[in-house]
Amino acid sequence: MNKKPSITILALALAAVGALSSCHHVTLEDRAEQEAKEFTQRYCPTPVKDFQRTDSVTFDRSTHTFNYYFQLSGSADNPETIKKLRPKLRTALVNDLVGDTGSKAFKAQGYNFRYVFVSEKTKEVLFEEELTKKDYQ
């Protein structure tokens, strides 16, 4: 009896391995969801720096939107100040996103980036901005 595997069995085994590995294809949406989840688990809430901290990051598959949640404290936790600085805050967010190389793949596919800043004192939303492809390209 011949103990060598036949070419047919070998071909079938290789095809099965190929089929199984293709089932584990990671999409950009999968990557976005995983990165948001891992960032939140590892780093959030972040320490307060410049009167703000990051509470969490989420990803919404249905809208292809990253959601960044921040908490403002100290002198930044002031609705009137935020209202006056709204245009400058938006410009700063756009500039940061344009310069962020870590989000390059997501920007190339036209993903959205939403920023929500909440008051530490009142828990109310003080500033919210969503940036789309037209904002960062």
Short mmCIF file of all heavy atoms in Angstrom, two decimals, residues 49-74:
data_model
loop_
_atom_site.label_atom_id
_atom_site.label_comp_id
_atom_site.label_asym_id
_atom_site.label_seq_id
_atom_site.Cartn_x
_atom_site.Cartn_y
_atom_site.Cartn_z
N LYS A 49 -6.21 66.78 30.66
CA LYS A 49 -5.12 67.57 30.10
C LYS A 49 -5.75 68.75 29.39
O LYS A 49 -6.66 68.57 28.58
CB LYS A 49 -4.28 66.74 29.13
CG LYS A 49 -3.12 67.49 28.55
CD LYS A 49 -2.30 66.63 27.63
CE LYS A 49 -1.14 67.47 27.08
NZ LYS A 49 -0.44 66.77 26.02
N ASP A 50 -5.28 69.95 29.68
CA ASP A 50 -5.84 71.17 29.10
C ASP A 50 -7.36 71.24 29.31
O ASP A 50 -8.12 71.57 28.41
CB ASP A 50 -5.51 71.26 27.60
CG ASP A 50 -4.01 71.35 27.34
OD1 ASP A 50 -3.30 71.94 28.17
OD2 ASP A 50 -3.57 70.81 26.31
N PHE A 51 -7.78 70.90 30.51
CA PHE A 51 -9.18 70.99 30.94
C PHE A 51 -10.13 70.05 30.20
O PHE A 51 -11.33 70.29 30.14
CB PHE A 51 -9.68 72.44 30.84
CG PHE A 51 -8.81 73.42 31.55
CD1 PHE A 51 -7.98 74.27 30.84
CD2 PHE A 51 -8.80 73.48 32.94
CE1 PHE A 51 -7.15 75.16 31.50
CE2 PHE A 51 -7.99 74.37 33.61
CZ PHE A 51 -7.15 75.22 32.89
N GLN A 52 -9.59 68.98 29.62
CA GLN A 52 -10.46 68.00 28.98
C GLN A 52 -9.90 66.60 29.13
O GLN A 52 -8.70 66.43 29.35
CB GLN A 52 -10.66 68.32 27.49
CG GLN A 52 -9.46 67.99 26.63
CD GLN A 52 -9.75 68.18 25.15
OE1 GLN A 52 -10.56 69.01 24.78
NE2 GLN A 52 -9.08 67.44 24.31
N ARG A 53 -10.77 65.64 29.00
CA ARG A 53 -10.34 64.25 28.98
C ARG A 53 -11.24 63.48 28.02
O ARG A 53 -12.39 63.85 27.78
CB ARG A 53 -10.38 63.62 30.36
CG ARG A 53 -11.76 63.29 30.87
CD ARG A 53 -11.69 62.46 32.12
NE ARG A 53 -13.02 61.94 32.41
CZ ARG A 53 -13.46 61.73 33.60
NH1 ARG A 53 -12.70 61.97 34.64
NH2 ARG A 53 -14.66 61.24 33.78
N THR A 54 -10.71 62.40 27.48
CA THR A 54 -11.49 61.55 26.58
C THR A 54 -12.20 60.50 27.43
O THR A 54 -11.56 59.77 28.17
CB THR A 54 -10.57 60.86 25.55
OG1 THR A 54 -9.79 61.86 24.88
CG2 THR A 54 -11.39 60.09 24.54
N ASP A 55 -13.53 60.45 27.30
CA ASP A 55 -14.31 59.46 28.04
C ASP A 55 -14.42 58.15 27.28
O ASP A 55 -14.37 57.09 27.87
CB ASP A 55 -15.72 59.99 28.32
CG ASP A 55 -15.74 60.92 29.52
OD1 ASP A 55 -14.86 60.79 30.40
OD2 ASP A 55 -16.65 61.77 29.59
N SER A 56 -14.60 58.23 25.95
CA SER A 56 -14.71 57.01 25.16
C SER A 56 -14.68 57.34 23.67
O SER A 56 -14.85 58.48 23.26
CB SER A 56 -16.01 56.26 25.48
OG SER A 56 -17.13 57.02 25.09
N VAL A 57 -14.47 56.27 22.90
CA VAL A 57 -14.55 56.35 21.44
C VAL A 57 -15.39 55.16 20.99
O VAL A 57 -15.20 54.04 21.46
CB VAL A 57 -13.15 56.27 20.78
CG1 VAL A 57 -13.26 56.34 19.26
CG2 VAL A 57 -12.22 57.36 21.31
N THR A 58 -16.34 55.43 20.11
CA THR A 58 -17.18 54.37 19.55
C THR A 58 -17.16 54.48 18.03
O THR A 58 -16.74 55.49 17.48
CB THR A 58 -18.64 54.45 20.05
OG1 THR A 58 -19.22 55.68 19.59
CG2 THR A 58 -18.71 54.36 21.57
N PHE A 59 -17.66 53.43 17.39
CA PHE A 59 -17.78 53.46 15.93
C PHE A 59 -19.16 52.97 15.56
O PHE A 59 -19.62 51.93 16.02
CB PHE A 59 -16.72 52.57 15.28
CG PHE A 59 -16.84 52.53 13.78
CD1 PHE A 59 -16.50 53.64 13.02
CD2 PHE A 59 -17.32 51.41 13.14
CE1 PHE A 59 -16.64 53.62 11.64
CE2 PHE A 59 -17.46 51.37 11.75
CZ PHE A 59 -17.12 52.49 11.00
N ASP A 60 -19.84 53.72 14.71
CA ASP A 60 -21.17 53.37 14.23
C ASP A 60 -21.06 52.85 12.80
O ASP A 60 -20.77 53.62 11.87
CB ASP A 60 -22.08 54.60 14.28
CG ASP A 60 -23.51 54.31 13.89
OD1 ASP A 60 -23.77 53.31 13.17
OD2 ASP A 60 -24.39 55.09 14.28
N ARG A 61 -21.25 51.55 12.63
CA ARG A 61 -21.12 50.92 11.30
C ARG A 61 -22.13 51.47 10.30
O ARG A 61 -21.83 51.62 9.12
CB ARG A 61 -21.34 49.41 11.41
CG ARG A 61 -20.18 48.65 11.93
CD ARG A 61 -20.56 47.16 12.03
NE ARG A 61 -19.43 46.35 12.41
CZ ARG A 61 -18.62 45.75 11.54
NH1 ARG A 61 -18.82 45.85 10.26
NH2 ARG A 61 -17.60 45.05 11.97
N SER A 62 -23.34 51.75 10.75
CA SER A 62 -24.40 52.16 9.82
C SER A 62 -24.12 53.51 9.16
O SER A 62 -24.55 53.76 8.04
CB SER A 62 -25.76 52.19 10.52
OG SER A 62 -25.77 53.18 11.52
N THR A 63 -23.37 54.37 9.85
CA THR A 63 -23.07 55.70 9.30
C THR A 63 -21.58 55.89 9.02
O THR A 63 -21.17 56.96 8.59
CB THR A 63 -23.53 56.81 10.26
OG1 THR A 63 -22.83 56.67 11.50
CG2 THR A 63 -25.03 56.76 10.49
N HIS A 64 -20.78 54.87 9.32
CA HIS A 64 -19.31 54.95 9.19
C HIS A 64 -18.78 56.17 9.96
O HIS A 64 -18.01 56.97 9.42
CB HIS A 64 -18.88 55.02 7.73
CG HIS A 64 -19.03 53.72 7.03
ND1 HIS A 64 -19.19 53.63 5.68
CD2 HIS A 64 -19.06 52.45 7.48
CE1 HIS A 64 -19.30 52.36 5.33
NE2 HIS A 64 -19.23 51.62 6.41
N THR A 65 -19.20 56.27 11.21
CA THR A 65 -18.84 57.42 12.03
C THR A 65 -18.11 57.00 13.30
O THR A 65 -18.61 56.18 14.07
CB THR A 65 -20.10 58.23 12.41
OG1 THR A 65 -20.78 58.62 11.22
CG2 THR A 65 -19.74 59.46 13.23
N PHE A 66 -16.93 57.61 13.50
CA PHE A 66 -16.24 57.51 14.78
C PHE A 66 -16.85 58.57 15.69
O PHE A 66 -17.02 59.72 15.28
CB PHE A 66 -14.74 57.80 14.64
CG PHE A 66 -13.95 56.65 14.10
CD1 PHE A 66 -13.66 56.57 12.75
CD2 PHE A 66 -13.48 55.66 14.94
CE1 PHE A 66 -12.92 55.51 12.24
CE2 PHE A 66 -12.74 54.59 14.45
CZ PHE A 66 -12.46 54.51 13.09
N ASN A 67 -17.17 58.20 16.92
CA ASN A 67 -17.73 59.13 17.90
C ASN A 67 -16.74 59.28 19.05
O ASN A 67 -16.42 58.29 19.72
CB ASN A 67 -19.06 58.61 18.43
CG ASN A 67 -20.08 58.46 17.34
OD1 ASN A 67 -20.58 59.44 16.82
ND2 ASN A 67 -20.38 57.22 16.97
N TYR A 68 -16.27 60.49 19.25
CA TYR A 68 -15.32 60.79 20.32
C TYR A 68 -16.06 61.58 21.40
O TYR A 68 -16.63 62.63 21.12
CB TYR A 68 -14.15 61.62 19.81
CG TYR A 68 -13.31 60.92 18.77
CD1 TYR A 68 -13.64 60.96 17.43
CD2 TYR A 68 -12.18 60.20 19.15
CE1 TYR A 68 -12.87 60.31 16.47
CE2 TYR A 68 -11.40 59.55 18.21
CZ TYR A 68 -11.76 59.60 16.88
OH TYR A 68 -10.99 58.95 15.94
N TYR A 69 -16.05 61.06 22.62
CA TYR A 69 -16.73 61.70 23.73
C TYR A 69 -15.70 62.26 24.71
O TYR A 69 -14.85 61.53 25.21
CB TYR A 69 -17.67 60.72 24.43
CG TYR A 69 -18.75 60.22 23.51
CD1 TYR A 69 -18.61 59.02 22.82
CD2 TYR A 69 -19.91 60.97 23.33
CE1 TYR A 69 -19.61 58.58 21.96
CE2 TYR A 69 -20.91 60.52 22.47
CZ TYR A 69 -20.75 59.32 21.79
OH TYR A 69 -21.73 58.89 20.94
N PHE A 70 -15.81 63.57 24.96
CA PHE A 70 -14.89 64.27 25.85
C PHE A 70 -15.67 64.90 26.99
O PHE A 70 -16.84 65.23 26.86
CB PHE A 70 -14.16 65.39 25.10
CG PHE A 70 -13.35 64.92 23.93
CD1 PHE A 70 -13.90 64.91 22.65
CD2 PHE A 70 -12.04 64.51 24.09
CE1 PHE A 70 -13.16 64.49 21.56
CE2 PHE A 70 -11.29 64.08 23.02
CZ PHE A 70 -11.85 64.08 21.75
N GLN A 71 -14.96 65.10 28.10
CA GLN A 71 -15.54 65.82 29.22
C GLN A 71 -14.67 67.06 29.47
O GLN A 71 -13.45 66.95 29.56
CB GLN A 71 -15.56 64.94 30.47
CG GLN A 71 -16.33 65.56 31.61
CD GLN A 71 -16.46 64.60 32.76
OE1 GLN A 71 -15.58 64.56 33.61
NE2 GLN A 71 -17.53 63.82 32.78
N LEU A 72 -15.33 68.21 29.56
CA LEU A 72 -14.63 69.46 29.83
C LEU A 72 -14.72 69.79 31.31
O LEU A 72 -15.75 69.56 31.95
CB LEU A 72 -15.24 70.60 29.01
CG LEU A 72 -15.13 70.47 27.50
CD1 LEU A 72 -15.87 71.60 26.81
CD2 LEU A 72 -13.68 70.42 27.06
N SER A 73 -13.63 70.34 31.84
CA SER A 73 -13.61 70.68 33.27
C SER A 73 -12.93 72.04 33.44
O SER A 73 -12.40 72.62 32.50
CB SER A 73 -12.86 69.60 34.05
OG SER A 73 -11.53 69.50 33.60
N GLY A 74 -12.96 72.51 34.70
CA GLY A 74 -12.29 73.77 35.01
C GLY A 74 -12.82 74.93 34.18
O GLY A 74 -14.02 75.02 33.92
#
